[in-house]
Amino acid sequence: MDRRGPALSPDLDFVSGRRKLRAAPRARRLRRLVQCPAERPAPRIGHGAESSRVRLRLDRIPLRHNLRAGLRLRPDGDDSLHQLLVLPGNANLRLPDHAVLDQGHDRRIAQQGSGRHRRRLGRNRRHGAAPVTLAILGLAFIVLVIVGLPISFAVGVASVIATFLLSGVDNATIVQRMLTAINTFPLLAVIFFVFAGVLMARGGIARRLVMMAEVLVGWLPGSLAQIVCVASMFFGGVTGSAVAEVSSIGSMMIPAMEKDGYSRRFATAIVLMAATMGPIIPPSIGMIVFAHVAGNVSIAALFLAGVIPGVLIGMSLMAASFVHGKLYHRKELPVIPMRDKIIRVIDGMAGVFTMVIILGGIISGIFTATEAGAAAAVYALILTVFVYKEIKISELPEIMWECCLTNAVVMLLIATCSVFSWILTYENLPTLLAENFFNLIQSKWAFLLLLNVFLLIVGMFIDMTPALIMLVPMLIPLAIKFDINMVHLGLIMVINLSFGLTTPPVGTALFVALKVGKISMDKLLPPLLPLLACMSVVLLLVTYVPSIYDWLPRMLGLMK
């Protein structure tokens, strides 16, 4: 029994009384009885010892209350509570879903319920989803997005409209869901990683990583394109943001590549596609959000699972750059003296050490993901302000304000999308899909292919964070049905939605690249498609050959 609110069991029945029934007792008496059940022994209810007032038997705890007619049916996929007592508005009691006792509901129905009640419950379970509510929710969201409303407000307004059709759900439920969604300790990691990423982006890390990448791969054909791929790989392990990679590396490398003889559209395309490694290589904000929504998923396992796919994507882009260099660009960079090479590598490795702090601390057990984010933020602050001296102390308030704006957008998205996702689960949509639509698919491999296509289409229209929050509760029952590991599901979702950041019509990284490269979308798409095809090969390998990446988290005992 959760003491923060009354936990009502499905085991509810009336005990008849021989005297006149009391009409409306006070709600505070109910609250006292529920919150302190140990103080009152369970009464013995028999034919000769009946109470003079209407009582509810709640796990053998006597409660007196004025009832509003009817029991609310809750879907199986939402919470362990299947029947919820609807209290009148004057009760002034909140009913959190997490305050439910996990009881043997089906056994009680078999022992106590009548045949008509069992048949009615079976019909309700079979038809748990409300098509009208779901249709209005989806249609309102699509219309609001089309008219140009920001995604967080579109999701929130659509959710509020849909709740008007849910009897017994009021504004307090919406507010509680929003606050509960963001009032979690793991989401602090998002705030810290955003702060560390902004410091790294503005602290000269990108320039030093590019100079180090020139030492490592500058001798290969297509040298500057190779440098972009390697620098983006390192920078993704520092910031975890595709938009930050495009703005930081693109503003430096696109003019340099054009000056060296590359076309502006190819230079913009390679910078844009290389930026997709940011959300895949740890630290990844998308993986943190997935673990938060899915629950019972190790963030460390997700981080380690993303290392190999991120590197493979980088290598596929390097292969494309090699072919492009052999065909269209045969220039070689000037030779760098050995002393300068050593200085560049040491200077760049100081920034890459951020990824070592994050992964090493989490794997060794020194840090949790949140504590690793805090440690990375402190290290980035010391490195950029006191070592590189690229950021002045007087600039820190402006940087913090920029981080506050970014985090506010992320948290508002999480809060509003959690209500949207809760409505989908409340109306039993995941179970409906699992038991009806996906029954047509018997093969796990066919389901994975359909999942990839579906996520690629969703990523074209919805950003990664809201897409994860809305889709994860729907896809988890399907993944369980086809015996798909949660780490595998999370990695597939993050990779697909990362590709969506680079595709029209609403790819955020795409529009930043168009602005930085000063190029139109119709000119960018032709060189973009071959690069996307190379990355799709890696996606298929990760989807159908999970042993490519899962050996690393399994070796460290983070994945079964």
Side-chain angles (χ1 to χ4, degrees):
M1 184 75 69
D2 193 328
R3 293 180 178 269
R4 291 179 291 177
L8 301 180
S9 167
D11 189 14
L12 304 175
D13 59 331
F14 287 101
V15 181
S16 60
R18 292 178 293 181
R19 302 181 186 179
K20 187 176 180 180
L21 304 181
R22 184 173 181 178
R26 292 174 297 179
R28 61 192 179 101
R29 190 164 190 173
L30 169 66
R31 183 162 57 244
R32 184 171 65 253
L33 288 168
V34 174
Q35 292 179 347
C36 304
E39 300 175 2
R40 300 218 172 196
R44 308 176 74 182
I45 301 177
H47 181 72
E50 294 180 349
S51 172
S52 61
R53 287 172 286 224
V54 173
R55 291 186 181 178
L56 288 176
R57 190 160 63 236
L58 174 58
D59 290 340
R60 299 185 181 277
I61 300 172
L63 300 176
R64 294 188 288 271
H65 204 276
N66 180 28
L67 294 177
R68 190 167 71 187
L71 294 174
R72 281 288 306 277
L73 181 71
R74 297 296 299 276
D76 299 347
D78 185 9
D79 299 297
S80 56
L81 181 62
H82 297 293
Q83 286 182 345
L84 175 66
L85 177 67
V86 180
L87 299 178
N90 59 6
N92 195 24
L93 295 172
R94 63 185 180 92
L95 303 174
D97 290 338
H98 58 265
V100 178
L101 294 175
D102 191 8
Q103 302 289 346
H105 180 51
D106 293 331
R107 177 179 54 81
R108 290 196 192 91
I109 292 178
Q111 293 176 355
Q112 301 175 6
S114 63
R116 184 175 61 182
H117 176 71
R118 289 196 298 269
R119 288 192 298 270
R120 184 175 70 249
L121 182 58
R123 287 195 302 269
N124 286 335
R125 283 185 176 180
R126 287 192 299 269
H127 305 285
V132 176
T133 303
L134 295 175
I136 291 178
L137 179 65
L139 183 62
F141 171 69
I142 293 173
V143 170
L144 292 173
V145 170
I146 291 176
V147 300
L149 199 66
I151 186 72
S152 55
F153 291 95
V155 171
V157 173
S159 301
V160 172
I161 294 174
T163 54
F164 291 153
L165 303 177
L166 301 177
S167 59
V169 178
D170 54 9
N171 294 333
T173 304
I174 299 175
V175 174
Q176 183 185 7
R177 281 283 169 180
M178 295 176 67
L179 294 178
T180 303
I182 61 177
N183 187 24
T184 57
F185 187 74
L187 287 184
L188 283 175
V190 176
I191 297 175
F192 289 129
F193 283 130
V194 168
F195 181 54
V198 173
L199 287 173
M200 292 290 187
R202 298 184 58 170
I205 302 295
R207 176 171 54 83
R208 289 171 169 83
L209 292 177
V210 167
M211 294 173 66
M212 184 179 70
E214 183 180 355
V215 175
L216 299 178
V217 296
W219 51 274
L220 292 174
S223 53
L224 288 184
Q226 305 279 5
I227 291 172
V228 168
C229 297
V230 175
S232 297
M233 196 183 304
F234 288 140
F235 200 66
V238 172
T239 62
S241 170
V243 175
E245 286 195 33
V246 173
S247 59
S248 299
I249 296 179
S251 59
M252 179 173 25
M253 292 303 299
I254 291 176
M257 292 180 69
E258 188 178 18
K259 183 178 180 180
D260 197 53
Y262 289 87
S263 65
R264 176 174 288 269
R265 60 180 189 172
F266 176 79
T268 306
I270 192 67
V271 168
L272 174 61
M273 300 311 293
T276 57
M277 291 182 283
I280 300 172
I281 297 177
S284 170
I285 294 177
M287 292 180 180
I288 296 174
V289 173
F290 175 87
H292 164 67
V293 178
N296 297 325
V297 179
S298 171
I299 297 178
L302 285 170
F303 277 6
L304 287 177
V307 172
I308 303 300
V311 173
L312 289 177
I313 289 175
M315 293 177 65
S316 68
L317 294 176
M318 290 177 66
S321 301
F322 182 90
V323 174
H324 184 275
K326 282 288 187 180
L327 295 177
Y328 304 108
H329 192 82
R330 298 180 178 272
K331 290 185 179 180
E332 295 182 359
L333 295 179
V335 179
I336 304 174
M338 181 59 64
R339 181 175 179 274
D340 292 343
K341 289 183 179 180
I342 296 175
I343 294 176
R344 288 187 178 192
V345 171
I346 295 176
D347 206 22
M349 288 302 297
V352 178
F353 192 69
T354 307
M355 186 168 59
V356 177
I357 293 176
I358 296 170
L359 290 180
I362 294 176
I363 295 171
S364 62
I366 299 176
F367 300 139
T368 63
T370 304
E371 293 164 348
V378 172
Y379 176 77
L381 182 66
I382 294 174
L383 184 65
T384 56
V385 175
F386 300 104
V387 179
Y388 291 161
K389 296 182 180 180
E390 297 276 352
I391 297 177
K392 299 179 181 178
I393 296 179
S394 60
E395 297 175 353
L396 289 178
E398 179 185 354
I399 294 176
M400 290 182 179
W401 176 247
E402 180 181 348
C403 294
C404 289
L405 294 178
T406 303
N407 287 317
V409 172
V410 174
M411 293 302 165
L412 182 60
L413 278 171
I414 293 175
T416 54
C417 291
S418 66
V419 180
F420 190 97
S421 175
W422 175 75
I423 294 174
L424 296 180
T425 309
Y426 183 90
E427 295 299 337
N428 217 15
L429 182 60
T431 305
L432 179 69
L433 293 176
E435 294 181 353
N436 295 281
F437 180 72
F438 285 99
N439 272 343
L440 302 176
I441 303 174
Q442 301 298 329
S443 171
K444 175 182 177 180
W445 313 118
F447 168 73
L448 288 173
L449 179 61
L450 182 63
L451 177 63
N452 280 323
V453 174
F454 171 71
L455 290 174
L456 286 173
I457 295 174
V458 169
M460 294 173 62
F461 299 96
I462 306 177
D463 204 1
M464 178 181 292
T465 299
L468 286 171
I469 299 173
M470 290 188 289
L471 296 179
V472 167
M474 296 174 54
L475 295 178
I476 284 180
L478 304 175
I480 294 174
K481 176 182 177 180
F482 289 100
D483 194 25
I484 299 174
N485 190 280
M486 289 296 105
V487 175
H488 192 191
L489 176 64
L491 190 59
I492 290 174
M493 293 190 70
V494 169
I495 294 176
N496 278 283
L497 296 174
S498 297
F499 290 0
L501 297 174
T502 65
T503 55
V506 293
T508 53
L510 171 64
F511 288 103
V512 174
L514 294 177
K515 182 178 179 181
V516 173
K518 299 178 181 178
I519 190 174
S520 61
M521 188 178 297
D522 59 330
K523 294 181 180 179
L524 180 62
L525 288 180
L528 201 66
L529 296 178
L531 300 177
L532 187 59
C534 294
M535 297 167 58
S536 299
V537 174
V538 178
L539 174 61
L540 292 176
L541 287 175
V542 171
T543 302
Y544 292 109
V545 192
S547 58
I548 289 179
Y549 71 88
D550 65 4
W551 62 269
L552 186 56
R554 290 182 190 277
M555 181 179 64
L556 297 173
L558 297 174
M559 183 178 172
K560 295 181 180 180

